[in-house]
Amino acid sequence: MKEHNVVGHSVRRLDAVAKATGTATFTTDLKMPGMLYGKVLRSPHAHARIVNIDTTEAEKLPGVKAVATYKNTPRELFNTSATMTFTQPPQRPVLDQYIFDNVVRYVGDEVAAVAATSEKIAEEALKLIKVEYELLPAVFDPLEAMKPEAPVIHESDKKNVPGEVIDIPVGDVEKGFAESDLIIEKTFKVPVQKQAQMETQAAVAHFGMDGNVTVWCTTQTPHPVKQILAKIFSLPESKVRVLNPPYIGGGFGVRIGLSAKAEPIAVALSMLARRPVKVVYTRKEDFIASDTRHSGYVTFKLGVKNDGTFQSFKLSSVLNGGAYCSFSVETPAVLGSNGIAVYRCPHIHYFGHSVYTNTTPSGAVRGFGNPQAMFAIESLVDIVAEKLGMDPLELRLKNILQVGDPYPLPYKLRSTGLAECIKKGAQKIGWERRGKLNQPGAKKLKGIGVGIGTHGSTAWPFCGDYSNAYVTVQQDGSVHVASGVVDMGTGTITTLSQMAAEVMGVGLDKVNITVADTASTPFEIGSHASRSCYSAGKAVFLAATDVRKQVLEYAGELLNVAPERLEIKDSVVCFAGQEMGDDCDGPERKSISLKEVAYHAHLHSKAFIGVGSPDSDNAPPWHAHFAEVEVDTELGQVKVLRVVAAHDIGKAINPMIVEGQIEGGVLMGIGYATSEEIKYNEKGKQLHDGYHKYMLATADDIPEIDVIIVEANEPSGPFGAKGVGETGMIPTAGAIANAVYNAIGVRICEIPLTEERVYRALKENIK
């Protein structure tokens, strides 16, 4: 494999100093002359109709400059998620939200908002708004919400089911079961998980005297947000500018599209007050009024031959979509499509959908439905292995997809390092120790488990997904990259800059980058779906290749040599293979600095501008996680001792960033498996609405994590890279659940594996 000068090296992140020294700027830091502060009045009821709303007293309060309700804001339906802008025909996006409505559908739904000269005044004004509600019946469980007697939350073709039902048939699944020697079926229950990103939802909007709207916000997708806001406020898209300022504090999917409703509320208040308005959610608001992971039920039925060959499998899901659609059509689609793409099987059927309930809307979270699928699938594969008397690794290696196998998804399977991930991970964890970890009579029992999986590197072809980039050479020989992608803490600006530097033959210090600004970058669908390195990276790679070609052609004329004989090394255009320092002046010179070329071109009215606009594509990364756990059989407490995470990510552009992404994903997966869960009371109020109540995995919960990078070159990726952002948490819950079973011999089909849940399962098993 070719050695690179910048790509493949763990260079320090370009934003490291700014973030480490506290000088990095986030939306919350923004201040503008005359800026107002917006606060939101939220529903105390799970389902109700607003009979009357009186804002008179609030408007009289000194310092209050605007009060917004459903009566004085646009009545334009939208979807807060970016799906509104990239759903592919003939499917249509589900539009079911207004900025404010006269019906509220969950505790926390928006009722009104105030803009005032201080946050305190805005909060006082909220108390003066008088609202009369007519209570409506509510439902909180997706299975209950589908029953005929359940209340209608939104009108839809199928009772409380938003949009399309996902139905993927391959072969004849019933015929496959008839030909199977062993059939096992189980239903698994998965919880509500919160992204728990550090920066809460926020936006600053400025409606200018010229009719232009500028919004600084925490979105992961500036260009789609521009489109959504333009539609809501009936503005030309050219009148709306969206940007990050310049950082956002994490995302994990919670702001693919709008930042909950921070942007439209801020814009509406700015239009009413004719002044800039900042809206920043409190942590509680972030929990109760921004998307969560879909909870619900996943059922997996597997038929196998006695030798372990997978013959037929049926996967289904019923997910809790909450009060509004958001990504509730796409999430079950990803759950099914990735769930059926791990194992070779001639007969497959997936059927899944979401259901409206009167709970906080569910949306995108790292893994996007895939962790729900793989917890169920990997648990059942272990059950089948035990029934067959096979080693779980042997059963997996026998059935995993290989290049050349029929691939159930509508893009090519060009590479897989999954078998290598399984073998290397097993060796690292010490798989041979499994079953030999415990002494007779021990109260704390240890176990080892495995979970595997795959994912995508973009969202295409399930929805629109594409990138563009510009790369220019400045007159001083430096390189400038323009990409609409967002760096939400993932190291994106560093990774993209490394790619540009490598192609251009310059040092990383010669590259500058502009990201996340709709006014200065070409259209980019945004940072999600593990796509930034693969898709935005490919756009940068092509744009840099384009501009490099222009530079070599121009330099070739100056050096009187064919451009194909030239290359760029250390910012110097020279003969290919030439040792640096061999250049000379005069007509026979053999090299010229990039700075000289750029300035010479500048003086002759020539600029070097490269464009990268690749075709949409996708590539599956692969992963195998091994978990070692200890279960206290007297307390039910599960402690994760160690995780080995082996990942095929194509090419690691920056190995340190890749390892960081995987480690973060593993910790999020540990929380999903063992502690994180949002519950509601009988009236639909969130019981876990802040960091003090929500059992987020913390530094104390971090076990030893060994990351193994497997580089199965991906032909479609830039430098062979695939996506990695979401993959760290996809197989983790399955691995931990299997490790817990290996430790205590009790199968628990519901996560998180809390002390209470494990203790109860142990007691029931004794009975």
Side-chain angles (χ1 to χ4, degrees):
M1 187 173 289
K2 180 183 176 183
E3 289 295 323
H4 300 295
N5 295 317
V6 186
V7 162
H9 296 266
S10 294
V11 301
R12 189 175 71 183
R13 287 174 52 147
L14 299 179
D15 56 353
V17 173
K19 289 183 175 175
T21 57
T23 57
T25 305
F26 297 82
T27 301
T28 309
D29 299 316
L30 289 184
K31 291 182 180 177
M32 299 181 68
M35 189 176 76
L36 304 174
Y37 298 85
K39 286 292 179 182
V40 181
L41 181 66
R42 299 187 177 279
S43 170
H45 305 298
H47 200 188
R49 181 175 291 105
I50 297 173
V51 177
N52 187 43
I53 182 165
D54 183 353
T55 61
T56 308
E57 294 302 316
E59 291 167 352
K60 291 179 181 176
L61 187 68
V64 171
K65 302 300 179 183
V67 179
T69 70
Y70 73 90
K71 293 182 178 180
N72 62 353
T73 51
R75 299 291 292 169
E76 184 74 27
L77 280 169
F78 63 94
N79 187 320
T80 56
S81 76
T83 183
M84 179 173 163
T85 68
F86 55 46
T87 297
Q88 297 288 291
Q91 305 303 326
R92 294 182 299 175
V94 177
L95 310 181
D96 56 12
Q97 283 188 276
Y98 296 106
I99 306 174
F100 304 101
D101 197 4
N102 62 339
V103 175
V104 289
R105 297 177 174 85
Y106 70 97
V107 176
D109 209 348
E110 292 81 7
V111 174
V114 171
T117 51
S118 74
E119 289 187 70
K120 185 176 181 181
I121 293 173
E123 289 169 351
E124 288 299 315
L126 294 182
K127 300 173 185 175
L128 301 177
I129 298 174
K130 298 172 183 174
V131 187
E132 183 181 347
Y133 295 99
E134 174 194 356
L135 298 186
L136 301 173
V139 62
F140 309 112
D141 181 85
L143 299 179
E144 295 295 320
M146 289 192 296
K147 291 180 177 178
E149 66 272 21
V152 173
I153 300 170
H154 296 277
E155 294 292 342
S156 54
D157 294 338
K158 189 175 181 180
K159 183 67 175 286
N160 282 331
V161 174
E164 178 188 13
V165 172
I166 312 302
D167 193 347
I168 306 174
V170 177
D172 185 339
V173 72
E174 295 306 326
K175 178 174 179 289
F177 284 127
E179 296 171 347
S180 299
D181 297 317
L182 173 68
I183 301 171
I184 303 288
E185 180 178 15
K186 280 192 177 297
T187 296
F188 298 83
K189 189 175 180 182
V190 291
V192 176
Q193 186 184 30
K194 187 62 189 161
Q195 295 88 348
Q197 79 292 342
M198 287 300 291
E199 186 181 20
T200 63
Q201 311 288 1
V204 176
H206 182 206
F207 180 62
M209 299 298 290
D210 56 1
N212 290 324
V213 175
T214 302
V215 180
W216 297 261
C217 60
T218 51
T219 182
Q220 297 173 224
T221 56
H223 286 273
V225 166
K226 181 179 79 168
Q227 294 177 288
I228 297 171
L229 292 176
K231 182 177 187 304
I232 293 174
F233 294 97
S234 300
L235 292 168
E237 291 182 18
S238 60
K239 291 283 188 181
V240 182
R241 179 187 183 189
V242 177
L243 66 163
N244 296 150
Y247 300 112
I248 63 174
F252 308 114
V254 75
R255 24 197 175 223
I256 305 174
L258 302 178
S259 305
K261 286 187 183 174
E263 292 95 343
I265 291 172
V267 172
L269 289 172
S270 182
M271 285 182 161
L272 290 170
R274 297 285 170 168
R275 288 168 64 170
V277 176
K278 178 196 280 189
V279 173
V280 179
Y281 282 29
T282 64
R283 182 61 62 188
K284 182 175 180 178
E285 284 182 297
D286 199 277
F287 263 80
I288 67 172
S290 68
D291 290 358
T292 67
R293 186 185 296 284
H294 288 76
S295 61
Y297 305 88
V298 180
T299 300
F300 187 40
K301 181 178 181 180
L302 178 61
V304 299
K305 292 288 192 182
N306 283 329
D307 67 355
T309 303
F310 286 10
Q311 191 65 20
S312 185
F313 77 71
K314 191 174 184 179
L315 182 66
S316 64
S317 67
V318 178
L319 301 182
N320 186 346
Y324 299 98
C325 182
S326 185
F327 277 109
S328 280
V329 177
E330 290 75 13
T331 302
V334 173
L335 187 159
S337 58
N338 284 286
I340 67 173
V342 178
Y343 293 105
R344 182 192 313 114
C345 189
H347 307 290
I348 301 171
H349 185 206
Y350 171 70
F351 182 87
H353 59 83
S354 299
V355 185
Y356 285 124
T357 67
N358 294 109
T359 60
T360 298
S362 305
V365 189
R366 194 180 208 165
F368 206 97
N370 205 349
Q372 291 97 314
M374 297 317 297
F375 163 59
I377 292 172
E378 290 303 277
S379 295
L380 196 75
V381 168
D382 254 35
I383 294 172
V384 169
E386 185 178 40
K387 293 287 185 184
L388 292 173
M390 290 182 69
D391 184 293
L393 294 189
E394 180 188 351
L395 183 62
R396 286 173 171 84
L397 287 168
K398 182 181 181 66
N399 289 285
I400 57 173
L401 277 170
Q402 305 286 350
V403 174
D405 286 337
Y407 192 52
L409 302 186
Y411 51 88
K412 292 181 179 178
L413 172 59
R414 306 176 183 90
S415 65
T416 170
L418 180 55
E420 187 177 346
C421 289
I422 293 173
K423 293 173 182 175
K424 286 187 172 179
Q427 183 180 24
K428 189 73 176 179
I429 196 75
W431 184 257
E432 71 283 355
R433 298 184 297 122
R434 193 169 181 265
K436 306 172 186 175
L437 298 169
N438 301 308
Q439 298 296 323
K443 299 298 184 183
K444 293 183 177 180
L445 301 177
K446 294 182 179 179
I448 294 176
V450 62
I452 66 173
T454 185
H455 201 63
S457 296
T458 72
W460 184 85
F462 307 108
C463 59
D465 189 305
Y466 69 108
S467 294
N468 298 281
Y470 304 143
V471 173
T472 60
V473 177
Q474 306 293 294
Q475 286 74 16
D476 64 354
S478 64
V479 174
H480 183 259
V481 178
S483 167
V485 76
V486 170
D487 191 333
M488 51 185 168
T490 54
T492 301
I493 60 172
T494 305
T495 303
L496 298 188
S497 298
Q498 284 182 260
M499 293 188 196
E502 187 68 47
V503 175
M504 292 303 300
V506 303
L508 191 59
D509 62 330
K510 298 295 184 184
V511 178
N512 290 290
I513 186 166
T514 297
V515 297
D517 182 351
T518 61
S520 58
T521 63
F523 183 86
E524 158 68 53
I525 204 73
S527 294
H528 62 91
S530 301
R531 64 180 306 284
S532 297
C533 179
Y534 176 81
S535 186
K538 194 186 314 184
V540 170
F541 176 88
L542 292 177
T545 302
D546 182 14
V547 78
R548 179 179 181 275
K549 179 173 180 289
Q550 296 174 33
V551 169
L552 293 182
E553 288 175 346
Y554 195 90
E557 293 184 6
L558 295 179
L559 297 172
N560 195 28
V561 64
E564 54 268 24
R565 293 187 60 196
L566 297 174
E567 62 180 350
I568 308 175
K569 293 195 300 186
D570 296 334
S571 294
V572 175
V573 181
C574 57
F575 282 38
Q578 174 192 354
E579 291 297 323
M580 299 304 298
D582 290 347
D583 57 314
C584 58
D585 295 327
E588 300 300 323
R589 67 187 303 182
K590 296 179 180 178
S591 67
I592 184 171
S593 71
L594 188 57
K595 180 179 179 179
E596 289 179 282
V597 176
Y599 199 71
H600 187 282
H602 168 67
L603 294 177
H604 292 79
S605 306
K606 164 70 177 175
F608 301 117
I609 304 173
V611 177
S613 186
D615 293 335
S616 298
D617 206 338
N618 206 338
W622 302 87
H623 33 262
H625 282 193
F626 294 80
E628 181 172 347
V629 305
E630 180 182 80
V631 183
D632 186 324
T633 57
E634 294 183 324
L635 300 176
Q637 187 177 55
V638 174
K639 185 176 183 181
V640 180
L641 303 173
R642 188 182 179 201
V643 173
V644 174
H647 285 245
D648 163 23
I649 46 80
K651 173 68 178 177
I653 304 299
N654 185 318
M656 184 169 59
I657 288 177
V658 168
E659 290 172 5
Q661 283 286 290
I662 293 171
E663 289 174 356
V666 168
L667 187 59
M668 204 167 176
I670 290 172
Y672 187 54
T674 63
S675 62
E676 293 182 42
E677 182 176 27
I678 288 178
K679 290 184 175 180
Y680 294 83
N681 69 12
E682 69 280 2
K683 293 185 177 180
K685 181 182 178 184
Q686 271 197 22
L687 299 176
H688 307 89
D689 55 9
Y691 282 157
H692 291 292
K693 300 176 183 175
Y694 182 72
M695 295 294 106
L696 187 67
T698 68
D700 286 340
D701 303 301
I702 299 177
E704 178 183 346
I705 301 174
D706 294 303
V707 175
I708 299 172
I709 295 176
V710 173
E711 294 187 320
N713 180 59
E714 170 56 40
S716 66
F719 298 98
K722 308 179 192 178
V724 69
E726 297 168 277
T727 58
M729 80 157 295
I730 290 168
T732 313
I736 291 173
N738 287 336
V740 168
Y741 177 80
N742 181 241
I744 63 176
V746 178
R747 177 66 61 179
I748 303 172
C749 296
E750 180 179 0
I751 52 173
L753 300 170
T754 60
E755 290 90 334
E756 179 185 2
R757 195 162 283 138
V758 174
Y759 179 82
R760 188 186 305 127
L762 284 165
K763 292 300 179 185
E764 290 174 354
N765 189 61
I766 291 173
K767 294 175 183 177

